[in-house]
Amino acid sequence: MKITLGSLRSSAFAVSVVFAGPAAAAGPSFDCAGARGPVETAICRSERLAKLDLRIDAAYRRIMRAWSTDAATREELRAVQRRFVEDRESAMAIDDDGLGRHLEAQAIFLEAIDTEPRSGFEGEWGNVAGGVRVTRDAAGLALWGNAVEPLRFRWICDVDDRGVVAGTTFIAPPAAVSPTHPEWSIRLERVAGAVRLLEVGPPGTETAPDGRALAQTPKCGHRGRFDGIYFPTKHRLRSN
């Protein structure tokens, strides 16, 4: 069965199909005659929001078509899109165009995704909060990253470390030493076409079931997290 944003919307997960009316070419991706709830009503009332919604729909469809044989990476992206849709209402409650910023960040992220197959860890990787870059030079591999909480900007994360590949895992730094958080390391693991990033604490650090450390991590501000799935991108995704 072919999965599109339209079929996801029918399950209350995503933005959907066609707009009937004079602004058809400008969006949104769904029929405003059947707009559901305050978010879709707001999108239909704003030409800018409607265009952003259409950009998100077009980018999502492009990626899902390109990854038609990569079920695992498609499922990771579906999860991201579900969270995006679930967060739209809370974004709408934020002052200073919260819904618009939420839609724009998702459009920029999806449009940046590179669907060409990629091996190893070198290259740009990103999600809606920001991105990481792995490069190779004469001294080996280096990891740079920057991310921010995308709606209220309550935290920021920065990393600039060297690393090594151990089997199927990229570990930075090789000998994890931090003046304030000794023995912490950042690890990247390939997950189908994407990478999963984890900030790993010293032995004894309490973790969530998915492996995330429950303690405050050293590379981010209060309650900030680098942890998550990062997709291959065509260019660097910086924090907002």
Side-chain angles (χ1 to χ4, degrees), residues 128-233:
V128 74
V132 295
R133 179 181 75 241
V134 179
T135 57
R136 183 180 295 276
D137 57 28
L141 291 174
L143 171 70
W144 174 92
N146 177 247
V148 68
E149 193 279 316
L151 285 178
R152 293 183 172 88
F153 312 114
R154 291 174 295 191
W155 51 259
I156 188 167
C157 301
D158 286 291
V159 61
D160 188 358
D161 278 321
R162 306 216 60 89
V164 295
V165 174
T168 59
T169 304
F170 174 88
I171 306 172
V177 176
S178 165
T180 55
H181 295 78
E183 299 183 39
W184 282 80
S185 65
I186 286 185
R187 300 187 186 184
L188 292 177
E189 302 167 347
R190 286 302 303 262
V191 179
V195 294
R196 182 186 185 212
L197 188 152
L198 279 176
E199 288 190 80
V200 181
T205 301
E206 189 177 2
T207 59
D210 62 1
R212 291 182 301 110
L214 295 179
Q216 174 64 54
T217 58
K219 303 295 184 182
C220 303
H222 182 57
R223 301 183 71 178
R225 292 283 169 186
F226 253 137
D227 299 335
I229 296 293
Y230 289 74
F231 295 86
T233 59

Side-chain angles (χ1 to χ4, degrees), residues 68-81:
S68 61
T69 60
D70 188 347
T73 312
R74 282 163 61 98
E75 188 53 41
E76 293 291 352
L77 189 62
R78 283 194 191 96
V80 169
Q81 192 71 357

